[in-house]
Amino acid sequence: MFKRITGTKDILPGEVSAWQRIEEIARNTFPLYNYKEIRLPLIEEAALFNRSLGEEAEVVKKQMFLIQRDHDTLALRPEATASVVRSYIENSLDKVQGFAKFYYIGAMFRAERPQRGRLRQFHHIGCEAIGSAQPQLDAEIISLADKLLKNFSVSGHRIRINSLGCPDDKKKLTQILKKSLGDNTSKLCQDCQERFQGNILRILDCKNESCKEIVAKLDIGQKHLCGACIGHFRQVTTVLDMLGVEYIVDDHLVRGLDYYTRTVFEISHPGLGAQDAIGAGGRYDNLVKQLGGSDQPAVGFAFGVERVLLVSADKVQGVSDKLVYIIPLGEEARQESMILLNELRQQGICADTDYLGKSLKGAMRQADSMGVKYAVIIGDNELKNKTVMLKNMKSGEQKELGRTALVKELSGN
Ligand code: HAM
């Protein structure tokens, strides 16, 4: 027997309604903010991610699913921001429209150690706004993330924001950290000792207890920020206040991907346990240029859909309450039921029948367990009278009807 690959999930029909609900909310919410859907390949040149996320990023170093084909190294996309930027440049959207807003829904792949809320194939709902450096746009993005979560029936989440500053500020932040961590380097975990050389910012969100203790004592503040970046950040928080979005400024917040500049944010939820980030994002003002495009600042975020579903209060059940279930009794009724099924479906009514030849009692039990609202019984009497028996499964009420009356009755449901 074959088994699914570790860290992947089968989303069975009973769970799909919950996914569809989240996706539908996203599809209804993004257009209110003028974000347009973009659908991109699941495979890209691996170098796209090496360049965008950084060679030292954990995702690149340890988690990419790579495919070697002839001389090409391809990767299953670990995230979509780099792909959106690649597409924006490749399709000359910077020349056609300059400022552009995109949203996407789709599978991402990271070879992480699977645990609750951490998969190797997971799904993002995310968006990117490319072509503006205005702080109001950062605030729109953060408030949109908050709005989406509320629409997903998620509450109790916490938004942390910070500013990494421009590339010069990031260098300054690196120096500040090097200096302040200096004496404690040997007390850091093995991974952080490596990060000290290659990706020191990541030490700030190491989950190791002794690293957390050392990091908690660091006074980082906003010393690394230049005047322009302080001004930018202030405007972001001012607009968030105006919009009533609750957030916490956390000077220890950094992100694991290299492309971020200025505003970064992460949204966590206490119901998620160890993997408590439900979504995250920020500015990446240099990525478009770095990947060969024009100088276009950008900002975006992505949610992990599996994590949204873990904490969404609205648990949609996969019930078939729109389905009409036809129960034919006997061979002739079975033939007749095919015509009726066809008629109902042509009228846009979801309909199915018992294909197992169950007894009336067995078929009714089946209809009940499927959560069906109406059963339509065709027995000898009904065949003779050219009628059907319509049974409301909730109230138990039943009535004999002609075909036309049946379609009319069911059309309103
Ligand atoms: P990220 O923080 O790597 O950011 O991923 C965003 C969200 O995806 C996380 O907060 C988490 O909810 C979910 N996620 C990440 N890895 C996994 C996993 N292995 N299993 C389940 N869920 C996971 C990005 O990917 C950026 N591209 C976000 C962004 C968009 N920044 C700017 N624009």
Side-chain angles (χ1 to χ4, degrees), residues 270-283:
L272 285 174
Q275 300 301 317
D276 68 350
I278 195 167
R283 263 204 173 273

Side-chain angles (χ1 to χ4, degrees), residues 156 211 304 347:
C211 297
Q347 297 303 318

Side-chain angles (χ1 to χ4, degrees), residues 187-344:
K187 295 186 200 134
L188 295 170
C189 72
Q190 196 55 43
D191 280 346
C192 281
Q193 301 211 7
E194 279 173 36
R195 287 174 188 142
F196 190 87
Q197 300 305 332
N199 194 2
I200 196 164
L201 298 186
R202 287 303 284 173
I203 296 178
L204 293 183
D205 66 1
C206 178
K207 301 282 181 273
N208 182 295
E209 284 307 321
S210 64
C211 297
K212 277 202 311 205
E213 233 174 80
I214 296 168
V215 161
K217 291 188 191 127
L218 298 177
D219 171 27
I220 301 167
Q222 299 196 321
K223 295 192 283 284
H224 59 290
L225 294 182
C226 64
C229 288
I230 289 180
H232 183 97
F233 192 59
R234 207 168 281 150
Q235 292 202 59
V236 176
T237 53
T238 305
V239 179
L240 289 176
D241 293 338
M242 278 162 44
L243 296 176
V245 177
E246 286 178 39
Y247 61 89
I248 300 159
V249 176
D250 178 357
D251 61 11
H252 280 56
L253 175 69
V254 288
R255 302 272 304 127
L257 314 173
D258 259 12
Y259 52 60
Y260 290 111
T261 49
R262 291 195 158 172
T263 315
V264 286
F265 66 100
E266 204 161 279
I267 309 180
S268 56
H269 195 288
L272 285 174
Q275 300 301 317
D276 68 350
I278 195 167
R283 263 204 173 273
Y284 45 98
D285 286 346
N286 299 311
L287 186 60
V288 182
K289 192 155 182 220
Q290 203 181 314
L291 294 181
S294 50
D295 196 359
Q296 302 284 358
V299 56
F301 72 80
F303 287 124
V305 183
E306 285 78 1
R307 296 187 190 179
V308 168
L309 285 167
L310 281 172
V311 293
S312 167
D314 198 353
K315 302 287 176 212
V316 178
Q317 297 293 314
V319 292
S320 317
D321 59 356
K322 285 218 157 39
L323 190 74
V324 174
Y325 197 61
I326 300 182
I327 303 175
L329 304 172
E331 195 56 39
E332 200 185 331
R334 257 200 285 284
Q335 293 290 84
E336 199 53 34
S337 71
M338 297 314 290
I339 298 173
L340 183 56
L341 275 176
N342 200 35
E343 261 178 47
L344 292 177

